[in-house]
């Protein structure tokens, strides 16, 4: 049974899962020594959707990926994918594609050979391997001259594409992404983001809220080995169950009584409170007045010391059902 | 203070250098050539059938020992059980005479005493820790994600090793193997106890000459062994250079 | 499963021989040219050893010589290790390589040179063994010294200590455990000294190891050799067991 420790919206699993499709994780517990890393975790992913697990480091999200991929064995619980019970299946038989945070490309093989690796393990004929490798490299957009190079001679973005191609070419039932955009600069990150949506059932793990909000069909928030909230990105952003979840997704104002207001909903009006801080962010600015953060258009942002007032509409307030902190 | 250290090192190397010098003696007596230098003893070494056989045997046995060390050391480094870490240096840490006396009856029991194969096994035993340690160090430089990625792509444990781990650690293992070769080639103690008339390696021939007559021929043999040791050391360290690069 | 070959080797070549040694030491000696009489059991060999007139002398010499060798070796090895430790980083592997080279090379080459250079007798035995023992001791000591945090040295210098003071107050106390371990191991090797006494010693300079080798390969009295080897193992075990140290040095 789903156990998230607090009352929460639907965790995607009502104790029943659709056997025939998608990923279903039931009641999985994983211990490392005396450390409980994952606790009675339940998770269900509809096929074809893009799910993001969001959490700060140490919450167990990478461990969960490794469990699903088969490199770790849970002490309790089961994992089903596309109707098959994977729980005791060796990793090499699970047909799951994974992209690692630092890509884990084989340094002694060039880009083509890296991508071909999974197909070679499946004993496909050489001609088919070659054509599929070229096709997938076309699809991820790796230039022809880069395909014969070893990973050390490729740029970060190119390595990422090769890693993705390697995972996709085997036509996996599930794609696992471990912070795939972490090492890329901002421009590249935004460019690559959309390339990650491939139509394959995907589970991505990250600590970056922008990635989660931009890519996900469903967001799961993890904390200390538990799934604490689950829902569409908008849902999780506007109606987090408690303050920690709220902070994970962006800047917040926490008002007494467990009320949450996002800075962009706070409006500045004429008043007599002094502005204590202004953080310029290009098109927007973050203004701090009387301990409250307001996000305003940068062109009309006030100066430090100016006197303003705050207007917090009732509709912008959200009473968090969870812990008050 | 700094310079005096090098003097001590020189002093430690003196007997070796002396032996090299003596090997070029022109006469019969083992004295360093002061006026006339000659290659006669080196020529004699290669001409003499018995010494040639011994040299060939040494090379053959060392190669076999290297293979034994590889085939036992590499799998052990892959598995790396707890108890092995402590015990692995046993062959090198035990005083050779103990080793020799233990090996004599053991090999006799399995019928390999006095044979080249028995020597190979025994000397492979000496080289096994070297390959083990070198392989272990090379393995540590391979990130675990690479191995996981390979498995996720469908590789069985054998394939993971054959297609990923081995290509990345071969140089490290090779470095250890080169040292194992050198150790086996120059080994004396084990050969003293285990070798027989059919299995004479170089040290075994040198030994009586060393005890009873001091001829420059022995010096010459020593020099060739020394040359080989240097080659082996050089090969080992050259192979080791590549370790950091491949990741 | 993967470790089967290694496990097999270790058993075959260390535990097996040990058991075999014990067994052989309890055979009756063979008549005439035979090595031993198969199928017999006796402790006579050990009794003979206990009654042997020459053995106490051999034991005494072995112990005394071993102590002397160890002392001399450490006197040479410790300063040498300190010197290596204080070398600039580039020169260190070169120096270590040169010190270890004789060991990797044919040990007989070294002994040959020594035979030409030093006289026989007790002094020759001691010097020869020192040559054989020093490389190991230096390697062990250098490995240990490496663990002493360099930052401690620099801190001491920053506080105004002279090189002598740094040594006396920092290096020496911290390296003592390493020195103990290295000495202990050197003693083990010295007790089993074979080549030095064999090549450089006269009849008075017979060590236990020499006697074992003689009985085994020259007289072919295997039971007796085995019994002596067991005795040697017992003697070696003393320094190993007496000082309960973990092998932290490597």
């Amino acid at each position: 049974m789903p156990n998230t420790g607090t009352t929460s919206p639907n965790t995607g699993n009502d104790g029943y899962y659709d056997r025939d499709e998608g990923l279903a994780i039931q009641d999985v517990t994983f211990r490392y020594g005396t450390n409980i890393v994952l606790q009675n975790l339940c998770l269900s992913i509809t096929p074809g959707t893009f799910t993001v697990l969001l959490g700060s480091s140490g919450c167990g999200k990478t461990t969960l990926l490794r469990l699903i991929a088969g490199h770790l064995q849970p002490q309790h619980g089961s994992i089903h994918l596309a109707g098959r019970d994977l729980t005791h299946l060796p990793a090499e038989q699970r047909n799951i594609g994974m992209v690692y945070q630092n890509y884990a490309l084989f340094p002694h093989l060039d880009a083509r050979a890296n991508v071909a690796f999974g197909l070679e393990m499946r004993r496909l004929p050489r001609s088919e391997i070659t054509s599929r490798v070229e096709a997938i490299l076309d699809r991820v957009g790796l230039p022809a001259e880069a395909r014969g190079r070893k990973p050390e001679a490729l740029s970060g973005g190119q390595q990422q594409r090769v890693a993705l191609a390697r995972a996709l070419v085997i036509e996996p039932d599930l794609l696992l992404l471990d912070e795939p955009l972490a090492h890329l600069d901002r421009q590249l990150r935004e460019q690559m983001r959309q390339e990650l949506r491939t139509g394959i059932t995907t589970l991505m793990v990250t600590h970056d809220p922008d990635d989660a909000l931009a890519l996900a069909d469903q967001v799961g928030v993890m904390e200390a080995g538990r799934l604490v909230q689950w829902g569409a990105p908008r849902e999780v952003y506007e109606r987090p169950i408690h303050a920690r979840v709220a902070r994970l997704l962006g800047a917040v104002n926490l008002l007494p009584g467990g009320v949450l207001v996002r800075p962009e909903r706070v409006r500045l009006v004429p008043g007599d409170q002094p502005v204590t801080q202004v953080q310029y962010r290009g098109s927007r600015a973050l203004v701090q007045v009387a301990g409250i953060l307001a996000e305003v258009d940068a062109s009309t942002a006030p100066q430090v010391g100016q006197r303003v007032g705050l207007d917090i509409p009732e509709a912008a307030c959200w009473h968090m059902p969870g812990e008050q902190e | 203070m700094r310079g005096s250290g090098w003097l001590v090192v020189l002093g430690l190397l003196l007997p070796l250098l002396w032996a090299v010098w003596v090997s070029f003696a022109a006469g019969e007596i083992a004295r360093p050539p002061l006026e006339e230098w000659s290659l006669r003893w080196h020529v004699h070494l290669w001409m003499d059938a018995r010494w040639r056989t011994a040299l060939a045997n040494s090379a053959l046995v060392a190669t076999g020992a290297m293979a034994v060390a590889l085939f036992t050391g590499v799998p052990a480094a892959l598995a790396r059980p707890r108890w092995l870490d402590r015990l692995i240096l046993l062959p090198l840490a035990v005083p050779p005479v103990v080793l020799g006396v233990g090996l004599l009856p053991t090999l006799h029991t399995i019928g390999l005493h006095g044979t080249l194969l028995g020597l190979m096994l025994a000397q492979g035993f000496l080289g096994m820790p070297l390959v083990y340690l070198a392989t272990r160090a090379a393995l540590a430089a391979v990130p675990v994600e690479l191995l996981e990625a390979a498995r996720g792509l469908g590789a069985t444990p054998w394939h993971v090793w054959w297609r990923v781990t081995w290509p990345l650690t071969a140089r490290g293992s090779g470095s250890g193997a080169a040292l194992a070769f050198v150790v086996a080639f120059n080994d004396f103690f084990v050969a003293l106890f285990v070798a027989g008339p059919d299995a004479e390696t170089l040290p075994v021939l040198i030994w009586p000459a060393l005890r009873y007559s001091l001829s420059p021929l022995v010096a010459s043999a020593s020099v060739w062994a020394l040359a080989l040791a240097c080659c082996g050391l050089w090969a080992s360290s050259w192979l080791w250079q590549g370790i950091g690069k491949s990741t | 499963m993967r470790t089967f070959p290694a496990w097999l080797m270790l058993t075959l070549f260390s535990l097996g021989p040990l058991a075999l040694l014990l067994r052989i030491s309890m055979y009756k000696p063979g008549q005439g040219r035979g090595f031993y009489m198969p199928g017999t059991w006796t402790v006579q060999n050990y009794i003979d050893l206990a009654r042997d007139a020459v053995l106490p002398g051999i034991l005494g010499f072995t112990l005394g010589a071993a102590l002397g060798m160890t002392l001399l070796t450490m006197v040479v090895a410790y300063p040498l290790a300190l010197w290596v430790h204080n070398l600039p980083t580039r020169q260190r592997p070169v120096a270590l390589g040169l010190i270890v080279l004789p060991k990797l090379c044919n040990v007989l080459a070294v002994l040959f040179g020594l035979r030409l250079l030093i006289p026989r007798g007790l002094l020759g035995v001691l010097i020869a063994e020192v040559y054989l023992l020093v490389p190991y001791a230096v390697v062990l000591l250098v490995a240990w010294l490496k663990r002493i945090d360099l930052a401690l040295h620099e801190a001491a210098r920053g506080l105004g200590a002279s090189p002598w003071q740094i040594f006396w107050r920092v290096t020496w106390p911290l390296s003592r455990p390493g020195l103990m371990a290295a000495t202990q191991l050197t003693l083990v090797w010295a007790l089993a000294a074979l080549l030095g006494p064999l090549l450089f010693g006269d009849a008075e300079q017979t060590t236990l190891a020499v006697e074992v080798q003689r009985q085994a390969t020259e007289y072919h009295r295997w039971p007796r050799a085995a019994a002596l080897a067991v005795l040697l193992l017992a003697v070696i075990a003393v320094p190993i067991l007496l000082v309960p140290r973990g092998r932290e040095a490597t």
Side-chain angles (χ1 to χ4, degrees):
Chain A
M1 286 313 303
N3 172 11
T4 60
T6 62
T7 54
S8 67
N10 171 33
T11 60
N13 189 338
D14 299 314
Y16 148 86
Y17 56 90
D18 187 344
R19 273 184 169 267
D20 297 326
E21 336 224 355
L23 174 71
I25 295 175
Q26 264 221 310
D27 219 20
V28 157
T29 300
F30 182 75
R31 262 192 304 279
Y32 192 70
T34 52
N35 228 3
I36 300 183
V37 182
L38 294 173
Q39 181 110 333
N40 299 106
L41 200 79
C42 295
L43 188 61
S44 163
I45 297 182
T46 321
T49 58
F50 196 109
T51 304
V52 176
L53 282 183
L54 186 65
S56 46
S57 26
C59 69
K61 50 195 201 299
T62 304
T63 308
L64 181 60
L65 281 191
R66 293 180 70 205
L67 264 168
I68 298 173
H71 304 299
L72 295 173
Q73 290 295 321
Q75 277 85 17
H76 180 70
S78 73
I79 302 173
H80 289 252
L81 176 64
R84 297 190 300 157
D85 184 350
L86 296 186
T87 324
H88 301 293
L89 208 58
E92 58 266 22
Q93 294 177 27
R94 295 195 183 195
N95 200 33
I96 294 178
M98 184 150 167
V99 177
Y100 287 82
Q101 190 172 7
N102 43 23
Y103 317 128
L105 295 177
F106 305 125
H108 59 293
L109 300 176
D110 66 14
R112 283 199 186 90
N114 261 283
V115 175
F117 192 87
L119 299 176
E120 285 169 7
M121 291 299 122
R122 286 157 174 77
R123 317 283 178 111
L124 295 179
R126 179 62 19 203
S127 53
E128 189 180 336
I129 295 183
T130 318
S131 60
R132 278 170 74 163
V133 166
E134 294 302 316
I136 197 78
L137 285 175
D138 289 335
R139 184 171 153 197
V140 300
L142 190 72
E145 62 268 14
R147 297 183 193 186
R149 292 199 201 133
K150 297 240 175 82
E152 58 184 2
L154 297 172
S155 71
Q158 288 173 331
Q159 288 183 20
Q160 220 252 31
R161 286 173 217 265
V162 176
L164 190 59
R166 185 175 72 177
L168 290 175
V169 79
I170 59 173
E171 290 174 359
D173 297 319
L174 175 69
L175 187 63
L176 298 175
L177 304 172
D178 188 357
E179 310 241 24
L181 303 171
H183 296 308
L184 302 176
D185 58 62
R186 190 198 199 97
Q187 188 185 14
L188 207 48
R189 202 185 306 168
E190 291 182 356
Q191 185 186 339
M192 293 293 304
R193 241 183 226 148
Q194 288 315 309
E195 304 189 15
L196 292 178
R197 288 193 62 108
T198 55
I200 300 184
T201 315
T202 306
L203 179 61
M204 175 167 130
V205 142
T206 183
H207 62 267
D208 186 329
D210 297 331
D211 288 344
L213 296 172
L215 285 168
D217 297 324
Q218 289 280 77
V219 174
V221 181
M222 274 188 75
E223 184 184 67
R226 299 177 131 104
L227 201 56
V228 295
Q229 188 165 358
W230 176 268
R234 186 174 209 129
E235 164 91 16
V236 178
Y237 181 79
E238 290 182 357
R239 291 185 280 283
I241 61 159
H242 58 55
R244 288 191 303 280
V245 172
R247 280 204 205 94
L248 212 50
L249 282 144
V252 296
N253 290 304
L254 288 171
L255 303 179
V259 174
L260 172 138
V261 182
R262 293 281 181 194
E264 63 271 15
R265 307 290 291 271
V266 175
R267 298 191 325 156
L268 295 181
V269 295
D272 63 354
Q273 297 289 334
V275 172
T276 48
Q277 204 187 61
V278 175
Q279 233 185 62
Y280 178 63
R281 289 199 176 166
S283 62
R284 311 286 287 163
L286 215 56
V287 178
Q288 188 170 44
V289 185
I292 301 290
L293 282 173
E295 194 190 280
V296 298
D297 199 37
S299 49
T300 56
Q303 308 277 3
V304 175
Q306 248 183 281
R307 294 198 177 255
V308 296
L310 295 168
D311 171 30
I312 302 177
E314 183 64 39
C317 294
W318 162 251
H319 291 263
M320 295 185 293
E323 297 129 40
Q324 304 292 324
E325 199 311 86
Chain B
M1 173 65 189
R2 182 109 354 127
S4 59
W6 289 110
L7 276 177
V8 175
V9 173
L10 191 62
L12 283 177
L13 287 173
L14 187 59
L16 261 181
L17 296 172
W18 198 260
V20 173
W21 197 12
V22 167
S23 70
F24 293 106
E28 300 271 327
I29 313 173
R31 273 224 193 102
L34 289 172
E35 301 99 25
E36 210 191 319
W37 288 56
S38 156
L39 287 177
R40 82 180 256 214
W41 292 107
H42 293 282
V43 171
H44 187 169
L45 187 75
W46 289 96
M47 289 288 132
D48 185 312
R50 203 160 167 229
W51 284 91
R52 257 211 321 275
T53 317
L55 267 170
N57 277 346
S58 278
L60 183 64
V61 168
T63 313
M66 180 173 76
V68 168
L70 268 175
F71 280 108
T72 54
V74 170
L78 286 171
R80 213 192 149 182
R82 278 279 173 81
W83 52 266
L84 198 57
D85 274 351
R86 296 261 181 91
L87 291 181
I88 194 63
L89 285 178
L90 193 72
L92 295 176
V94 165
V97 64
V98 174
L99 209 58
V101 175
L103 287 174
L104 188 91
T106 309
L107 285 175
H108 198 261
T109 310
I110 47 182
L112 287 177
H113 181 242
T115 63
L116 286 177
L117 185 58
L119 257 182
M120 280 185 208
L121 283 177
Q123 289 180 347
F125 180 56
L126 288 180
M128 179 179 73
L130 296 170
V131 173
Y132 177 86
L133 290 173
T135 308
R136 229 183 62 189
L139 277 173
V142 176
V144 72
E145 286 104 14
L146 285 185
L147 308 179
E148 284 188 1
R151 283 200 77 187
L153 287 167
T156 58
W158 157 257
H159 269 123
V160 172
W161 180 76
W162 181 241
R163 295 290 309 270
V164 181
T165 317
W166 176 245
L168 294 174
T169 58
R171 289 186 72 135
S173 299
S175 173
L179 281 181
F181 183 89
V182 172
V183 165
F185 190 92
N186 282 320
D187 161 74
F188 165 66
F189 281 107
V190 170
L192 181 66
F193 283 95
V194 172
D198 300 320
E200 272 183 351
T201 58
L202 196 60
V204 172
L205 262 194
I206 297 180
W207 175 243
L210 196 57
R211 288 189 78 181
Y212 305 116
S213 70
L214 288 175
S215 145
L217 188 63
V218 177
S220 166
S222 310
V223 167
W224 286 100
L226 172 62
L228 191 85
C230 292
C231 285
L233 271 177
W234 177 83
S236 176
S237 68
W238 177 78
L239 281 169
W240 194 253
Q241 293 307 321
I243 293 303
K245 282 176 73 177
S246 55
T247 313
Chain C
M1 219 296 276
R2 283 234 187 86
T3 61
F4 177 69
W7 181 86
L8 181 69
M9 292 280 276
L10 269 176
T11 321
L12 201 61
F13 290 122
S14 27
L15 302 176
L18 190 62
L20 208 52
L21 260 185
L22 281 169
R23 175 67 189 96
I24 292 182
S25 67
M26 302 208 274
Y27 278 124
K28 289 210 177 107
Q31 318 289 17
R33 281 286 291 143
F35 294 139
Y36 56 83
M37 290 201 325
T40 55
W41 286 89
T42 172
V43 290
Q44 187 63 29
N45 297 302
Y46 288 101
I47 300 177
D48 285 340
L49 282 183
R51 293 219 198 109
D52 191 299
V54 187
L55 193 59
I58 296 181
L59 265 176
F61 177 73
T62 307
L63 279 165
L67 286 170
M69 288 172 206
T70 310
L71 185 64
L72 278 176
T73 305
M74 297 319 285
V75 159
V76 173
Y78 187 65
L80 195 58
L82 280 175
W83 171 76
V84 170
H85 180 69
N86 287 321
L87 277 179
T89 330
R90 288 215 160 190
Q91 297 179 19
R92 227 181 275 159
V94 177
L96 268 178
L98 285 177
I99 293 176
V100 168
L101 188 65
K103 268 274 113 114
L104 279 174
C105 269
N106 212 321
V107 71
L108 295 182
V110 176
L111 289 170
F112 177 78
L114 281 175
R115 279 281 262 130
L116 296 175
L117 291 168
I118 62 177
R120 303 189 73 173
L122 182 60
L123 189 62
V125 171
L126 287 178
I127 296 180
E129 280 295 329
V130 167
Y131 262 92
L132 294 177
L133 293 170
V134 159
Y136 283 119
V138 169
V139 166
L140 287 173
L141 284 172
V142 168
W144 182 266
L145 286 171
K146 252 177 119 166
R147 294 162 121 236
I148 300 181
D149 198 0
L150 268 176
L152 290 176
H153 274 190
E154 288 171 2
R157 277 183 74 184
L159 290 167
S162 71
W164 174 251
Q165 283 174 318
I166 295 180
F167 171 75
W168 192 242
R169 304 291 292 272
V170 179
T171 318
W172 168 247
L174 286 174
S175 63
R176 277 223 300 264
L179 189 57
M180 286 292 310
T183 310
Q184 189 185 3
L185 253 115
T186 308
L187 186 59
V188 168
W189 281 78
L191 283 169
L194 174 62
L195 286 185
L198 200 52
L199 278 178
F200 291 86
D202 306 317
E204 301 106 46
Q205 284 106 31
T206 307
T207 64
L208 199 50
V210 172
E211 187 63 20
V212 169
Q213 191 261 356
R214 192 168 289 154
Q215 295 291 330
T217 57
E218 291 180 27
Y219 302 142
H220 296 298
R221 286 199 218 129
W222 284 14
R224 192 180 167 81
L228 280 167
V230 171
L231 180 61
L232 180 59
L233 278 175
V235 168
I236 299 179
V238 168
I240 296 179
L241 298 173
L242 206 57
V243 183
R245 273 210 56 83
R247 290 270 184 90
E248 292 285 334
T250 310

